[in-house]
Amino acid sequence: MKLSLGPLLYFWPLEDVRAFYREAAGWPVDTVYLGEVVCSKRRPPKLEDWLAIGEELADAGKEVVLSTLALIEAESELITLRKIVENGRFSVEANDWGAVRLCAKHDIPFTAGPHLNVYNQETLVLLAGLGAQRWVMPVELPRETLAAMQAGRPEGMETEVFAFGRMPLAFSARCFTARAHNLPKDDCQLRCIDYEDGLVMRSQDEQPFLTINGIQTQSDTTADLIAEIPDMQSLDVDVVRLSPQAHHMGHIAAVFHAVMAGELSPEAAVQKTTRLTAGTPCNGYWHGQAGMNWTAPDLEAVKE
């Protein structure tokens, strides 16, 4: 089982991005996904910056994958997508079916990203025929569905599970962060750069509910499936994904790696990771429940 660092979903200053990945070069992660998935207006980093960061990570021994946008709306975005697919150096994570088509057209092996909505074996077979070598399970699927899909996945197809981070739930043509500041999308002033882990949206009784991240809606809670690592190993999951947050990622990666290597018990690991999450931990989707739910171990006992 390998450990991956998913693409950065937030908009950070370029120097912060560079510093983050310089540190990540020393973390116990095998694969690093790079690139803009949410909004093409978030520049820099430009594609050239991501490629340069990728070279540094590759020199450090990491597998580098370039991630594509999940929602493409303009010709300029298609031009960038073509450049990503044809980069000639790194493999690609396709996050929309246009990217899948381009990878297949150029006979480029790819990872089927979590935004492709792969819910059954038939879709896995289709993607394998188009050149997919890995698929990332959508965050809302339960363990039982994964087990069924693992039983019939195409030969040679790797499975990756989103195991840590605020969960990406939906995309919209509207920019929620701009609207929160009474700004039009075309003049958003890139206000999402003010929120390193997204803008928390609260209910009328002031309870955290969702996280706004530009055109993306995320959970407020943070998925933490570290206690499920032994179960994932029994299901032959190949890759466990950590989604970046602004703080403590190196520590989180180290804890996940220790559990995967059998050096730390899942129970002890939960006590560590629940203190490091950007939002309250959750694992409901894995257990077939509401995604925001937290199923044993008892969170209050862990926090004491």
Side-chain angles (χ1 to χ4, degrees), residues 15-299:
E15 285 309 311
D16 291 355
V17 173
R18 288 172 173 162
F20 179 83
Y21 287 107
R22 280 195 295 267
E23 292 186 17
W27 299 343
V29 296
D30 304 281
T31 302
V32 181
Y33 292 83
L34 298 175
E36 182 55 55
V37 172
V38 177
C39 178
S40 63
K41 296 180 70 175
R42 294 175 171 180
R43 297 188 302 270
K46 298 180 180 179
L47 177 57
E48 293 76 12
D49 299 311
W50 289 120
L51 290 171
I53 292 169
E55 292 291 350
E56 294 177 4
L57 289 166
D59 289 343
K62 309 300 184 186
E63 176 195 14
V64 175
V65 183
L66 297 181
S67 297
T68 70
L69 282 172
L71 181 62
I72 294 179
E73 301 179 272
E75 178 62 30
S76 60
E77 295 168 350
L78 283 173
I79 292 172
T80 300
L81 173 60
R82 295 185 187 104
K83 290 179 179 179
I84 292 172
V85 171
E86 300 170 11
N87 79 91
R89 176 70 172 91
F90 304 118
S91 63
V92 175
E93 178 187 57
N95 281 306
D96 91 310
W97 285 91
V100 171
R101 184 188 67 83
L102 283 175
C103 288
K105 176 181 177 181
H106 293 282
D107 197 25
I108 295 173
F110 63 94
T111 295
H115 309 295
L116 292 182
N117 298 332
V118 181
Y119 295 140
N120 53 57
Q121 295 171 3
E122 290 79 7
T123 307
L124 277 183
V125 171
L126 172 64
L127 285 166
L130 293 172
Q133 295 185 330
R134 181 185 302 159
W135 74 291
V136 185
M137 184 178 78
V139 297
E140 66 270 26
L141 289 188
R143 185 256 187 218
E144 287 75 13
T145 300
L146 174 62
M149 293 178 70
Q150 287 291 85
R153 66 172 164 167
E155 185 176 355
M157 175 79 80
E158 291 187 340
T159 296
E160 183 168 348
V161 172
F162 186 108
F164 183 89
R166 279 190 163 133
M167 296 178 290
L169 301 177
F171 291 87
S172 171
R174 297 179 181 272
C175 178
F176 302 114
T177 306
R179 286 296 298 270
H181 290 277
N182 294 315
L183 295 169
K185 182 181 179 182
D186 291 340
D187 185 27
C188 66
Q189 300 176 22
L190 299 176
R191 293 301 296 269
C192 50
I193 204 169
D194 297 331
Y195 307 99
E196 61 183 7
D197 285 315
L199 173 60
V200 174
M201 184 170 69
R202 299 179 180 274
S203 63
Q204 290 184 341
D205 57 355
E206 292 299 314
Q207 296 301 309
F209 177 51
L210 295 169
T211 299
I212 295 171
N213 180 37
I215 67 169
Q216 183 185 58
T217 303
Q218 300 178 327
S219 61
D220 168 67
T221 51
T222 296
D224 185 357
L225 301 184
I226 198 165
E228 319 303 335
I229 293 295
D231 195 16
M232 291 185 203
Q233 290 172 325
S234 72
L235 292 173
D236 294 326
V237 170
D238 301 282
V239 186
V240 172
R241 174 176 292 201
L242 312 179
S243 187
Q245 63 180 36
H247 304 286
H248 310 304
M249 282 307 303
H251 295 297
I252 292 164
V255 175
F256 267 83
H257 180 265
V259 173
M260 292 163 62
E263 299 168 355
L264 184 68
S265 72
E267 294 79 13
V270 169
Q271 295 183 39
K272 296 178 181 291
T273 57
T274 53
R275 293 183 172 92
L276 301 174
T277 59
T280 302
C282 68
N283 58 11
Y285 280 140
W286 180 264
H287 297 284
Q289 303 172 9
M292 66 178 67
N293 286 2
W294 177 258
T295 300
D298 180 70
L299 182 56

